[in-house]
Amino acid sequence: MKLIIFGPPGSGKGTQASILAKKNKIPHLSTGDILRSKLEEGDDLGQELSTIMSIGNLVPDSIINPIVADKLLSNDCKNGFILDGYPRNKYQSDFLIDFLKKNNLDIDLIIDFIADTTTVKKRIMERSRIENRSDDNLEVIKTRLDKYFAETQPLAVIFKEKFKDKFFEINATQEITKIQYDIENKLKNAQI
Ligand code: AMP
């Protein structure tokens, strides 16, 4: 199973990706999580990531693209993967589409989590109380959402055209269990 989970920060895609990954015994590749673990190493790259991520900007493509490519080619991903938080702009999307083609990898499904700004802001603020993430505060959330709507969301048009019936939208304002149910149904119908 090779999935891309797509949607704004706070839409609950990480939660669903993690549930699906456990159930199907495949890795949950969250680029946010991968970058946060690199940041914690505290070396020069970590310092650079910290500066960029703490204000909600996107990490350069030159850093994230090779990280994702390495992961996708690793043994861990030989039975599939769930990509969460990538691609996030047109360069990453072009890179990924080209990479998949060159490596004969097909995406089974792209799930677009649709949620309004009020809902995602509320969810991120709740998460900030639990996880204490430095980029979960109102000012940074605004930057992250602005980036999402300017650079990431427009990719849905490309995905729809490229992946056709493998692309589907989900109402991400629903309860976790209902979203889970909708995804399971879609996977079943697509025989994945
Ligand atoms: P997330 O956990 O997905 O909300 O990501 C947290 C932060 O990591 C983002 O605000 C970005 O600074 C960085 N990040 C995660 N994924 C990417 C990506 N695909 N491209 C660039 N930056 C990313």
Side-chain angles (χ1 to χ4, degrees):
M1 177 187 288
K2 301 184 196 76
L3 303 186
I4 297 178
I5 307 246
F6 185 68
S11 60
K13 58 188 165 48
T15 304
Q16 296 295 334
S18 151
I19 293 171
L20 278 169
K22 276 199 195 94
K23 212 165 173 179
N24 294 283
K25 298 189 174 65
I26 50 176
H28 170 199
L29 298 183
S30 153
T31 47
D33 284 349
I34 295 168
L35 290 167
R36 274 185 289 279
S37 73
K38 295 215 175 280
L39 179 155
E40 277 159 21
E41 286 170 21
D43 54 7
D44 286 351
L45 174 62
Q47 297 290 334
E48 188 184 345
L49 293 176
S50 169
T51 311
I52 298 168
M53 290 164 70
S54 64
I55 52 169
N57 279 339
L58 290 183
V59 167
D61 303 325
S62 57
I63 294 180
I64 192 71
N65 284 343
I67 293 177
V68 172
D70 269 3
K71 291 269 177 200
L72 294 182
L73 290 178
S74 73
N75 219 18
D76 290 356
C77 290
K78 68 176 190 311
N79 295 323
F81 52 81
I82 300 179
L83 202 45
D84 159 19
Y86 183 96
R88 243 165 155 117
N89 62 27
K90 176 84 168 63
Y91 298 103
Q92 295 179 13
S93 164
D94 287 347
F95 175 84
L96 180 67
I97 288 171
D98 185 54
F99 172 87
L100 293 170
K101 194 171 167 203
K102 278 187 185 138
N103 291 284
N104 272 325
L105 293 169
D106 272 333
I107 295 295
D108 296 307
L109 218 54
I110 302 192
I111 309 173
D112 187 5
F113 278 50
I114 308 287
D116 59 276
T117 313
T118 314
T119 304
V120 297
K121 274 191 184 158
K122 197 169 146 245
R123 285 195 188 151
I124 297 175
M125 290 314 290
E126 276 166 16
R127 182 173 69 189
S128 82
R129 278 191 282 276
I130 300 164
E131 294 181 13
N132 200 19
R133 262 176 63 170
S134 65
D135 59 350
D136 279 351
N137 64 67
L138 275 181
E139 200 183 323
V140 179
I141 291 167
K142 190 182 172 315
T143 308
R144 288 163 63 203
L145 287 174
D146 287 349
K147 295 251 167 265
Y148 178 80
F149 290 111
E151 299 191 39
T152 313
Q153 199 198 33
L155 301 178
V157 178
I158 300 174
F159 291 161
K160 268 183 207 165
E161 201 179 298
K162 166 100 187 119
F163 296 98
K164 302 201 166 53
D165 56 349
K166 291 178 177 172
F167 178 90
F168 88 101
E169 293 176 350
I170 205 147
N171 173 1
T173 63
Q174 306 177 101
E175 291 290 316
I176 291 180
T177 47
K178 176 70 174 79
I179 298 175
Q180 212 180 328
Y181 176 81
D182 286 355
I183 295 175
E184 292 293 347
N185 265 345
K186 186 70 195 176
L187 292 171
K188 219 182 284 164
N189 291 340
Q191 297 183 327
I192 297 163

